[in-house]
Amino acid sequence: MNRKPELLAPAGDWSALTAAVQAGADAIYFGVDRFNMRHRAKNFTREELPEITAFCREAGVQTHLTLNTIVYEDELPYVTEVVEEAKRAQVDMIICMDLAVMEVCRALKMPFCVSTQASVSNSAAACFYQRLGAERVVLARECTLDMIRDIRGKTTVGIEAFIHGAMCIAVSGRCFLSHYLYGKSGNRGECNQPCRREFFIQDNDDRGNQLILGEDYVMSPRDLCTMGFIDQLIDAGIDSFKIEGRMRNPEYVRCVVSCYRRAIDACFSGCWTRALADSLTEELKTVFNRGFSTGFYFGAPGVDDFARQYGNQATTKKEFVGKVLNHFRKAGVVHVRLEGSGLEKGDQVRIIGPTTGVVNCTVSTLRCDEKDTALVSKGETVTFPCNEKVRMNDQVYRILPVTPPSTSRK
């Protein structure tokens, strides 16, 4: 078996970044205020770069800064400023697709990785970027597993590939639909994702000939999930396993990173089984997803690889409960003000905060006014056991089951 691949996690804000580190990511990729393909994410500021890299270095986690949109002439000075600041902050790598950004990285001797936006889908392209100075290339999503094995056998450049998350209807994400409809360019990180919605089609010559594309969301692919064949990706010699999701919430990051961390480690410890793969896949279904597919790894996606409904198909949802007032670490108890909904003994609870990340616990006992109780209503303050450290003003949620609607075809 090849050496253990890097597990690369997304982070759109501090809570997600902390959650990714907690869950066992080897590296984090994130954006600042411009030039990244998730401009609509919260993102970080340039001023935060030293704090981000210091936090990650202390945890033994690498940092990759995304500058992977196209760049216009008047923006070149700003690009140089950002790369210079990233180097001063000791960011480990820049992810880019524009040759101008690569040239800035070369001039400043800043390591860079070629984004999937560049559609690297063969060994010749990979070698070309390597000669330009790239340490790594993110292969196009359209590459099959056999293609990746072939490319790996003909190149020495680092190879990164997506293992989980949203798929795009366009080739490597290059699409003009959002720009045409809303003036928000997907190629500049501002995509409004109109492709995910239900469409109404009408024949202009025969107004009675109409279709509603709702049962099959023909422009909304299911999310990529490679859990069932993660061992084959390891054997293919991929250097970095990338999780999509800088627009996703911290619990998504925590869950997905944790699941793939356990899967990769199990492959290298000899504990990988089909039962474990199935169990982890079910766990992945508890957070945001549009249903799962194997993407392009075993050939072009077919009709069953597109969504059957709009939006989230997660098997759980969160309901806001309130905020943390205090955490008594020695006693392992958290004090919470119920601002959103009540709380009941036995509830599954999730606590989220910028420094805390994501903490899950069960309300095994519930106390209000120094008395044990089974149910507390909104407006009260309560205490319940929580051994992991949480902090004042962290958000508290109940985790509730969801029964997904039927996706059977008519």
Side-chain angles (χ1 to χ4, degrees):
M1 182 175 286
N2 293 298
R3 66 183 179 85
K4 187 176 289 190
E6 169 190 86
L7 183 57
L8 178 57
D13 59 22
W14 273 105
S15 295
L17 190 152
T18 304
V21 171
Q22 289 172 335
D26 298 306
I28 307 293
Y29 70 101
F30 61 96
V32 287
D33 49 358
R34 292 169 69 184
F35 305 131
N36 73 87
M37 289 301 292
R38 291 296 181 268
H39 188 67
R40 293 172 60 221
K42 291 180 181 178
N43 288 311
F44 297 91
T45 65
R46 291 160 60 182
E47 292 73 23
E48 290 178 287
L49 284 172
E51 186 180 359
I52 293 167
T53 55
F55 173 77
C56 289
R57 263 198 316 276
E58 185 177 355
V61 172
Q62 291 208 329
T63 48
H64 299 186
L65 176 64
T66 58
L67 296 175
N68 57 340
T69 64
I70 57 174
V71 176
Y72 293 116
E73 184 67 26
D74 62 347
E75 297 171 329
L76 289 174
Y78 182 87
V79 170
T80 301
E81 289 177 12
V82 174
V83 176
E84 287 175 338
E85 290 186 30
K87 185 170 184 178
R88 282 195 295 271
Q90 299 181 51
V91 169
D92 293 292
M93 190 176 290
I94 300 291
I95 304 173
C96 53
M97 63 83 67
D98 196 304
L99 289 169
V101 183
M102 297 180 202
E103 182 59 26
V104 171
C105 290
R106 277 162 46 100
L108 296 174
K109 294 181 170 55
M110 182 71 194
F112 68 91
C113 167
V114 179
S115 169
T116 189
Q117 301 302 119
S119 294
V120 177
S121 52
N122 56 69
S123 60
C127 290
F128 170 79
Y129 284 114
Q130 186 177 26
R131 289 194 296 273
L132 288 182
E135 294 194 359
R136 181 186 293 179
V137 296
V138 187
L139 294 182
R141 292 175 181 267
E142 294 75 29
C143 289
T144 66
L145 192 52
D146 286 339
M147 291 176 185
I148 293 173
R149 293 191 185 102
D150 197 22
I151 294 169
R152 175 72 291 163
K154 296 177 180 177
T155 61
T156 58
V157 69
I159 288 179
E160 186 175 303
F162 282 93
I163 61 167
H164 195 90
M167 298 285 289
C168 183
I169 192 64
V171 175
S172 289
R174 295 196 301 276
C175 179
F176 291 97
L177 185 59
S178 177
H179 183 270
Y180 177 79
L181 293 175
Y182 306 110
K184 299 291 186 180
S185 173
N187 300 300
R188 297 278 285 176
E190 298 178 317
C191 184
N192 275 349
Q193 298 191 347
C195 54
R196 305 293 184 185
R197 300 172 189 169
E198 181 178 285
F199 281 83
F200 173 80
I201 297 179
Q202 178 174 281
D203 187 334
N204 282 334
D205 294 327
D206 179 3
R207 295 305 177 95
N209 189 11
Q210 302 171 344
L211 294 172
I212 297 177
L213 301 183
E215 180 184 347
D216 296 313
Y217 286 78
V218 296
M219 291 192 292
S220 181
R222 290 185 175 184
D223 290 353
L224 173 66
C225 177
T226 64
M227 185 59 72
F229 54 98
I230 196 73
D231 52 335
Q232 295 183 57
L233 296 179
I234 293 171
D235 289 340
I238 299 168
D239 299 288
S240 179
F241 287 176
K242 188 171 193 172
I243 296 167
E244 187 277 336
R246 280 190 291 133
M247 295 285 287
R248 299 286 167 242
N249 55 36
E251 57 264 36
Y252 173 94
V253 174
R254 174 73 183 252
C255 176
V256 177
V257 174
S258 173
C259 286
Y260 281 99
R261 176 78 280 156
R262 282 176 278 163
I264 294 167
D265 291 347
C267 287
F268 281 85
S269 66
C271 300
W272 182 244
T273 63
R274 172 52 54 187
L276 178 58
D278 292 344
S279 174
L280 292 173
T281 300
E282 290 303 310
E283 190 171 338
L284 289 168
K285 291 178 181 178
T286 65
V287 292
F288 186 97
N289 71 86
R290 299 181 181 91
F292 292 144
S293 86
T294 58
F296 286 84
Y297 280 112
F298 300 103
V303 65
D304 292 331
D305 293 309
F306 288 83
R308 294 286 181 265
Q309 65 186 69
Y310 178 73
N312 190 7
Q313 298 182 38
T315 58
T316 66
K317 66 178 181 179
K318 64 183 182 184
E319 179 182 79
F320 179 67
V321 169
K323 294 181 180 178
V324 172
L325 296 175
N326 204 349
H327 181 248
F328 305 100
R329 194 168 186 182
K330 288 186 177 180
V333 169
V334 62
H335 188 200
V336 175
R337 182 185 303 280
L338 303 185
E339 300 176 354
S341 71
L343 201 58
E344 189 172 353
K345 181 179 177 180
D347 278 343
Q348 300 297 310
V349 169
R350 180 168 294 150
I351 303 174
I352 302 173
T355 306
T356 298
V358 178
V359 169
N360 296 312
C361 59
T362 301
V363 182
S364 56
T365 60
L366 189 61
R367 290 179 65 83
C368 181
D369 295 330
E370 299 184 1
K371 297 179 181 178
D372 288 340
T373 183
L375 178 66
V376 182
S377 301
K378 174 182 175 181
E380 302 286 351
T381 64
V382 299
T383 59
F384 56 85
C386 179
N387 291 320
E388 292 189 57
K389 185 176 181 181
V390 297
R391 294 159 179 85
M392 183 182 298
N393 292 324
D394 283 352
Q395 306 283 301
V396 183
Y397 301 88
R398 297 169 67 200
I399 306 305
L400 303 172
V402 172
T403 302
S406 173
T407 57
S408 61
R409 295 173 63 85
K410 296 179 181 178

